[in-house]
Amino acid sequence: MTRMQKIGVVLGLALVASFTLLRATDPPLLRQIRDITFDEYQRITPRKFENTPVRVIDIDEASLREFGQWPWPRDRLALLVQRLSDMGAAAIAFDVLFAEADRLSPRSIMRDVAGVDPTLLSRLPDNDQLFAQAIADKPVVLGFGLSMDGSYKPPVKAGFAFTGESPFNAPPRMTAATPVRPQLQINATGLGHISLNPGTYSATVRRVPLLLSDGEQLYPNLALEALRVAQGASTYIVAAAPDIPDTLTSIKVGDFVVPVTSSGELWLYTSPDIADRYISAGKVLAPDGPAPEVAAAVQGSIVFVGTSSAGLQDIRTTALGENVPGVSIHAQTVEQILSGHFLSRPDWADGMEILLIAVLGTCLVIVTTFVSPAVGLAWGLIVTALAFASSWFAFSRWGLLFDPLAPIVAASIIHFAATSFRILVIDRERREVRKAFGQYLSPSLLHRIEHNPDALRLGGDDRELTVMFVDVRGFTTLSERLQPAEVVRFLNTLLDALSRHVVANEGTLDKFIGDSIMAFWNAPVDVADHPAKAVRAALAMRETLATLNATDAFGFGEEYKVGIGIGIHTGLACVGNMGAESRFNYSAVGDAVNVSARIEGCCKEVGFDILVSETTAAALPHFALLDAGSLGLKGKSTRTRLYATLGDETVGLSATFALLETAHQALVEAFATRSTDSRKLLARVRQRAQPYPATLPEFYRRLARRGDHFREIPTEVPAPLSEQAS
């Protein structure tokens, strides 16, 4: 590397660092550009309007002309609630503030008239009282707004359950709220805030805060509360990221799990504003009663009462560039949850984009400096196309939001700067060098001196390995009920947590095969006691999975537990670089790999999560192992003895396990001799297995039907590994 090349690389990397730092600070301008990009994605493919059971009861211009200006007297709102309830509305949510007494109430009007008999006042109707009576025992949700004054905070009508870290500092902060009339807030079934973009810099509503927090209590928004009331649910389940404070991941309300941003916001996937979403309030309040088509639209629906009148100034801008009533945003929030069409920006997206700027910028600096500006330009154009294509594909296929512009713009500027420097300095120097050395060296030799490629060798070696296969139980069924993005998040969570134990126990992660893991021990370097370390990794995986299930880390709820099967075998295999000269992997092949995979498949038949072969079991003298019988493996002429792994040496040397092992061995011998005592012995084994409720009940339930697996002992005893190697 010449001195000028070094200077070019240093200057280029300094520019890369500057852009990386700029993106890490994420100034408002970059956020605005990113949001505009995501808006354009939605404008190209907006969410399609589906006929979900959600309607807006619109206090529109026609209704105001017929019934007078807003606010209406609350006895009319009482009639509105009564008619909606009679038509079978699942929930009635008011995008209206009821902070003050009804000034149109007869009692309020006459109170201000001098000389009115107080006894007459008490006999006059009170519209607030009528409205409160109308909403009692009905699925009515009232709204409250944010306030900078006072200390009022509304009661919370639902409970909250939490998983992960504390969520109270994650949502936007609420210091005070606009008060709700006392009797109204008592009689309402739900209360939710109506703020759509508190504290944001943009007038466009792109994210809806589903929760607010005062630091001690969470407050749901109007749409979320309406969905809860419609389902008759009593509790929200808020999932926070494990070990990451102030980071939310999802909110479960009734039967619906809603992915949210780290602050509890829902990315709004907007559909066009169409008339089918709205029902005029005048049609509900018609003197002759609602028309049959109105009743049919309201029945079973979540209805939001709000206004589209421009004079009432509740107009918002969506990502599609449309000006819509604020109540429409609440309705679209519920529509989106019911349809399951979500947008999400993963918490790691910012880190990935920052990393892309650093990596792409560094690569462009190196390619432009040491190869050629033309190659750098071609590579940059390919990366640009891939970035746009990947970002668009992630949005259109899974609803994931990744910013392609920041890395592309930064990389383009970096490439231009590096190219300019090279043209001015480095390329001129190279031409001089090539001209001088071209008189002494052939072009091909000169090319080799410039590039100096390294050679790589294909091939492998026979080694004694302990091979492990891990597979998720019921993954096909599970993937059918999840969205693709949810499947990816589930696999990432599970496989990341399990694979760490392979590395922690000196194993080699070979590959991930869909929902499976292949790993092996004793290559590429020697690992002492590799069978024991492989089994320790499997036991640690069992404990980790139990923790993930207990904390509902996958967001499936307590009723669904994820299970795995693990098969382990020790034997000879060929391990090394395999593939083509241009592309290869470091992997293992051979009978030991096939046997391990077949053993993992036997976990379903045996009803146990960790099975090891007889060869592996021979290297675990003090582990808690139970004879699982001899099973036929596909491709093997004789049956293979398997062992269920209950625990390590601590469990294996315990008095509790000694009693269980003695009873289990007696049962195995009874099966082998067809003894009539097998039922009595099975009952004894089950009694002594009670200290291990999480692993053994299903094993012994199936064992009662697998007596033949203990009567046919393999006629061929596996040779010692030392003899196999020879």
Side-chain angles (χ1 to χ4, degrees):
M1 182 188 301
T2 66
R3 186 177 69 88
M4 296 307 298
Q5 285 178 322
K6 292 179 180 178
I7 294 174
V9 170
V10 170
L11 293 177
L13 294 181
L15 189 60
V16 171
S18 300
F19 278 109
T20 304
L21 181 62
L22 179 65
R23 176 60 185 84
T25 57
D26 204 19
L29 179 60
L30 290 183
R31 296 200 297 271
Q32 292 177 18
I33 295 174
R34 183 164 61 246
D35 286 341
I36 291 172
T37 301
F38 299 152
D39 290 348
E40 289 300 321
Y41 283 177
Q42 291 202 48
R43 293 178 185 183
I44 295 173
T45 56
R47 180 173 61 85
K48 295 181 180 179
F49 176 78
E50 301 177 55
N51 192 23
T52 56
V54 181
R55 291 293 182 271
V56 173
I57 305 302
D58 187 10
I59 304 171
D60 54 5
E61 298 290 353
S63 302
L64 294 176
R65 284 194 301 269
E66 183 174 356
F67 294 99
Q69 67 181 11
W70 185 262
W72 287 346
R74 288 178 189 163
D75 60 341
R76 186 171 297 142
L77 297 181
L79 176 61
L80 181 67
V81 168
Q82 187 61 52
R83 289 195 173 179
L84 291 172
S85 178
D86 292 342
M87 287 186 286
I92 306 167
F94 280 87
D95 185 21
V96 178
L97 297 177
F98 297 102
E100 301 174 349
D102 184 3
R103 62 181 178 83
L104 300 177
S105 175
R107 186 178 298 178
S108 298
I109 294 173
M110 295 305 295
R111 185 181 294 115
D112 296 332
V113 178
V116 176
D117 185 356
T119 60
L120 174 62
L121 288 177
S122 63
R123 295 195 299 271
L124 291 174
D126 185 301
N127 288 350
D128 284 320
Q129 184 177 359
L130 293 175
F131 187 44
Q133 292 172 351
I135 69 174
D137 300 323
K138 294 183 178 65
V140 174
V141 180
L142 300 183
F144 63 88
L146 301 185
S147 175
M148 301 301 295
D149 301 321
S151 59
Y152 169 80
K153 294 177 183 177
V156 178
K157 299 281 186 172
F160 283 88
F162 312 114
T163 63
E165 298 292 326
S166 171
F168 292 108
N169 292 324
R173 185 56 65 101
M174 182 186 78
T175 57
T178 56
V180 181
R181 298 294 296 168
Q183 194 58 42
L184 296 181
Q185 80 174 17
I186 292 173
N187 288 4
T189 305
L191 292 172
H193 74 84
I194 62 175
S195 300
L196 293 175
N197 50 358
T200 59
Y201 59 85
S202 175
T204 302
V205 180
R206 299 183 175 95
R207 294 173 290 277
V208 176
L210 298 186
L211 298 174
L212 297 179
S213 173
D214 61 3
E216 298 178 353
Q217 177 63 54
L218 298 180
Y219 300 87
N221 86 329
L222 188 70
L224 202 65
E225 188 75 339
L227 182 60
R228 178 190 70 81
V229 170
Q231 298 179 87
S234 60
T235 304
Y236 296 103
I237 300 177
V238 180
D243 303 324
I244 304 177
D246 307 332
T247 302
L248 302 183
T249 58
S250 67
I251 302 171
K252 187 174 187 294
V253 50
D255 296 329
F256 298 93
V257 177
V258 186
V260 295
T261 67
S262 60
S263 60
E265 296 175 317
L266 171 71
W267 276 92
L268 193 63
Y269 195 0
T270 312
S271 71
D273 197 41
I274 63 175
D276 291 347
R277 184 176 285 122
Y278 299 89
I279 300 173
S280 175
K283 294 182 179 180
V284 179
L285 294 172
D288 298 332
E293 61 271 16
V294 173
V298 170
Q299 184 178 14
S301 295
I302 300 173
V303 297
F304 290 87
V305 181
T307 179
S308 65
S309 174
L312 297 182
Q313 298 180 346
D314 187 25
I315 304 299
R316 308 300 179 101
T317 303
T318 70
L320 302 183
E322 297 178 328
N323 293 324
V324 303
V327 67
S328 172
I329 303 296
H330 295 297
Q332 291 215 37
T333 299
V334 178
E335 288 176 7
Q336 187 174 341
I337 295 173
L338 294 181
S339 65
H341 298 309
F342 295 109
L343 298 180
S344 64
R345 180 166 167 79
D347 293 332
W348 44 267
D350 283 323
M352 183 191 70
E353 291 162 7
I354 294 170
L355 181 63
L356 278 177
I357 292 176
V359 172
L360 293 179
T362 301
C363 291
L364 279 173
V365 168
I366 294 174
V367 171
T368 304
T369 302
F370 295 103
V371 182
S372 75
V375 173
L377 177 61
W379 186 79
L381 292 175
I382 292 173
V383 170
T384 297
L386 288 176
F388 272 117
S390 301
S391 176
W392 171 251
F393 183 77
F395 171 82
S396 59
R397 183 69 180 272
W398 299 301
L400 298 177
L401 299 173
F402 298 112
D403 178 21
L405 287 183
I408 290 172
V409 171
S412 299
I413 297 175
I414 291 168
H415 176 263
F416 176 79
T419 301
S420 300
F421 182 83
R422 172 163 179 162
I423 292 175
L424 292 175
V425 180
I426 297 179
D427 212 42
R428 182 184 60 184
E429 184 179 82
R430 170 169 289 187
R431 286 196 300 270
E432 293 176 353
V433 171
R434 289 184 65 89
K435 182 179 179 180
F437 279 86
Q439 302 178 38
Y440 305 99
L441 303 175
S442 67
S444 59
L445 182 56
L446 184 59
H447 184 78
R448 290 179 58 190
I449 292 174
E450 290 178 339
H451 294 84
N452 189 28
D454 294 325
L456 294 174
R457 180 181 64 89
L458 289 174
D461 300 312
D462 291 338
R463 293 177 69 97
E464 177 189 307
L465 302 181
T466 297
V467 185
M468 169 194 288
F469 273 85
V470 184
D471 187 66
V472 179
R473 292 289 168 258
F475 177 73
T476 301
T477 302
L478 179 64
S479 61
E480 289 176 351
R481 60 177 251 190
L482 298 178
Q483 295 295 322
E486 295 173 328
V487 174
V488 172
R489 285 193 294 271
F490 161 67
L491 287 178
N492 287 344
T493 300
L494 179 64
L495 298 182
D496 176 68
L498 299 185
S499 60
R500 293 181 182 181
H501 297 298
V502 174
V503 178
N505 286 276
E506 302 181 47
T508 299
L509 276 170
D510 187 305
K511 60 177 71 72
F512 295 104
I513 313 169
D515 61 320
S516 303
I517 300 174
M518 175 184 170
F520 53 80
W521 277 258
N522 207 37
V525 296
D526 294 336
V527 176
D529 299 326
H530 51 88
K533 290 178 179 176
V535 174
R536 292 186 201 281
L539 294 171
M541 290 180 182
R542 173 192 287 165
E543 294 179 0
T544 295
L545 181 61
T547 301
L548 293 174
N549 280 325
T551 58
D552 194 22
F554 309 116
F556 298 155
E558 297 182 357
E559 69 279 359
Y560 187 89
K561 303 297 183 184
V562 176
I564 59 174
I566 302 177
I568 301 175
H569 174 61
T570 302
L572 288 177
C574 181
V575 60
N577 292 326
M578 300 177 191
E581 287 285 353
S582 59
R583 186 184 181 99
F584 52 80
N585 293 320
Y586 186 81
S587 185
V589 296
D591 185 61
V593 177
N594 298 332
V595 170
S596 176
R598 302 289 188 268
I599 293 175
E600 181 275 317
C602 291
C603 291
K604 301 176 184 178
E605 182 177 359
V606 173
F608 201 77
D609 58 343
I610 304 176
L611 294 178
V612 302
S613 68
E614 187 174 16
T615 308
T616 303
L620 310 170
H622 299 300
F623 277 60
L625 305 178
L626 295 175
D627 189 350
S630 299
L631 282 77
L633 304 183
K634 183 178 179 181
K636 305 295 289 185
S637 59
T638 59
R639 303 184 104 180
T640 302
R641 177 74 72 179
L642 303 180
Y643 290 84
T645 305
L646 199 61
D648 58 10
E649 299 96 334
T650 303
V651 179
L653 296 175
S654 66
T656 303
F657 178 74
L659 295 174
L660 173 62
E661 185 180 29
T662 301
H664 182 87
Q665 189 59 38
L667 176 63
V668 169
E669 294 175 359
F671 281 149
T673 60
R674 303 178 183 269
S675 172
T676 58
D677 294 336
S678 58
R679 289 190 177 182
K680 183 189 302 182
L681 293 171
L682 182 60
R684 181 186 302 172
V685 170
R686 284 174 170 167
Q687 181 180 9
R688 294 185 177 179
Q690 290 179 356
Y692 311 99
T695 53
L696 289 180
E698 179 65 17
F699 175 71
Y700 281 115
R701 187 181 70 81
R702 299 195 183 190
L703 193 70
R705 303 194 301 267
R706 295 196 304 109
D708 290 343
H709 290 167
F710 298 90
R711 298 186 187 112
E712 299 181 14
I713 307 301
T715 57
E716 296 183 10
V717 179
L721 292 176
S722 59
E723 296 181 13
Q724 294 182 32
S726 62

